Amino acid sequence: MAETKAPVSLTSGRRNFRRRYVVGILVLLASLITAFVAKNGADAPSVQDYYGSLESRLGYWLLLGNTRHCGLYEKGQISPFPISTAQRAMEEKLYSRLGLEPGSKVLDAGAGSGYVAMYMARKGLNVQAIDITPHHLADARKVVTKNGLEDKVSIDYADYHDLSAFPDGSFDGIYTMETFVHADDPVKVLSNFYRLLKPGGVIVLHEADFSYNSQVLQDILRLSHCQNTLEEGGYEELVANAGFKDYSLEDLTDEVLPMWRLFGVVGYVPYQLFKLLGIHYRFTNVMAGVETWLHWGEGRYISVRAVKP
């Protein structure tokens, strides 16, 4: 019987991941040294500090190809590969939740390296992308230009806590892809979003909440600048208080499990070593990946949607 070969895309995805992983192992010692210098595990880093750390920059490149959000999988799927295909599926989920017509103008509030903004542009939306991290902005401008989408995606420095540069009713939709959890003042941010939306405008927030609190969770949230992550049920009240209507929530926790299982498996041995040495707090992403996997079910990945009346 002829040997059955894995699909090219799956094989390629695994090969690319293995290549990045080998390179990552080679620089692990450098990362260890840098971690001692850069972080003491006791501070509350800024968003820029968190994303600018060597561990974060290496980890996002190594595991996610420099894209900074989860992938969406079929329920029950085991393999996380190809990761890029799952990430595009998550972007499609966000796009479908927005439900906007081609030509609509949207705000990408925390655009990272610009991959979500590019997906929305390819679907026909006009995107104003903002971020506060310098290397994110540089990456986003580079990939948007490389893909010839400058006419559909504008990229600017802006903090979603202060969006006074944009007039009232500027957008048909506003979305966050795992960035609202970084808000220092979630109430203020939602108030800004409400002001910037036209009547009938839509917000979609792909974020996390949690049902079980613990010291480990609070340490992870502090070290990744997510101190104001909401408890389960908190988004409905927050969104209603901001004036939005037609609230809906989709629980996507089961559909992101393959990626978090990968984080947990890949990081488990290094994490146990770091714990033995008492330095695990210096490796926020390794800690978050392993602990989230070990305590799966104590938090959720959710898609929140609401409309400005």
Side-chain angles (χ1 to χ4, degrees):
M1 181 179 294
E3 181 181 359
T4 300
K5 295 184 178 180
V8 173
S9 58
L10 180 60
T11 303
S12 178
R14 287 173 171 164
R15 186 184 303 115
N16 289 337
F17 172 77
R18 287 197 298 267
R19 185 181 301 116
R20 291 198 300 265
Y21 189 67
V22 168
V23 174
I25 293 298
L26 293 177
V27 300
L28 181 58
L29 289 178
S31 179
L32 280 165
I33 295 171
T34 302
F36 275 109
V37 174
K39 295 192 290 186
N40 60 21
D43 56 355
S46 67
V47 173
Q48 295 93 327
D49 289 339
Y50 165 67
Y51 281 111
S53 71
L54 178 60
E55 190 220 8
S56 286
R57 298 185 74 161
L58 175 63
Y60 282 112
W61 170 75
L62 172 65
L63 293 175
L64 302 182
N66 215 30
T67 303
R68 292 167 177 81
H69 66 79
C70 289
L72 187 69
Y73 301 85
E74 296 290 332
K75 288 185 178 181
Q77 182 170 335
I78 300 299
S79 173
F81 302 106
I83 290 175
S84 60
T85 299
Q87 289 175 320
R88 301 297 83 76
M90 183 64 80
E91 292 157 10
E92 175 63 26
K93 167 61 77 172
L94 192 152
Y95 170 76
S96 67
R97 292 278 280 164
L98 283 169
L100 297 173
E101 296 293 327
S104 299
K105 187 173 183 181
V106 296
L107 177 69
D108 183 332
S113 294
Y115 290 93
V116 181
M118 290 197 300
Y119 189 90
M120 298 301 160
R122 290 183 175 121
K123 300 294 282 191
L125 303 181
N126 296 309
V127 186
Q128 172 63 66
I130 62 171
D131 206 284
I132 61 172
T133 304
H135 77 270
H136 286 179
L137 292 167
D139 288 348
R141 290 179 177 126
K142 180 179 179 180
V143 297
V144 166
T145 299
K146 180 180 178 180
N147 286 273
L149 292 169
E150 304 98 314
D151 61 329
K152 301 288 289 185
V153 181
S154 300
I155 302 167
D156 293 292
Y157 174 91
D159 185 337
Y160 56 23
H161 293 87
D162 179 8
L163 296 172
S164 56
F166 301 104
D168 295 359
S170 295
F171 301 100
D172 301 292
I174 298 175
Y175 65 84
T176 63
M177 182 70 94
E178 304 170 27
T179 59
F180 190 76
V181 288
H182 292 302
D184 293 319
D185 188 343
V187 173
K188 183 176 183 180
V189 173
L190 270 185
S191 176
N192 288 338
F193 290 173
Y194 188 90
R195 178 184 68 81
L196 291 183
L197 282 173
K198 300 174 183 176
V202 179
I203 58 165
V204 175
L205 315 175
H206 276 208
E207 302 295 340
D209 62 9
F210 64 91
S211 58
Y212 179 80
N213 205 345
S214 67
Q215 185 58 54
V216 170
L217 173 64
Q218 289 305 313
D219 287 337
I220 292 170
L221 296 180
R222 170 178 57 84
L223 293 169
S224 57
H225 195 90
C226 297
Q227 298 96 317
N228 293 305
T229 298
L230 300 177
E231 294 187 31
E232 187 172 320
Y235 273 95
E236 185 170 9
E237 179 180 0
L238 187 69
V239 168
N241 289 342
F244 290 95
K245 305 295 183 183
D246 300 327
Y247 174 89
S248 70
L249 181 149
E250 288 191 21
D251 186 345
L252 305 176
T253 308
D254 290 342
E255 287 100 317
V256 302
L257 175 56
M259 180 173 282
W260 283 95
R261 185 187 295 116
L262 172 67
F263 296 160
V265 171
V266 169
Y268 185 81
V269 172
Y271 181 58
Q272 297 306 320
L273 174 61
F274 298 155
K275 286 183 72 175
L276 184 64
L277 296 174
I279 59 173
H280 53 293
Y281 289 107
R282 300 174 184 267
F283 296 89
T284 306
N285 294 304
V286 175
M287 181 179 180
V290 175
E291 292 290 356
T292 298
W293 177 53
L294 292 176
H295 298 280
W296 196 255
E298 296 176 3
R300 301 187 300 176
Y301 188 102
I302 57 176
S303 173
V304 170
R305 185 183 192 274
V307 180
K308 177 177 179 177

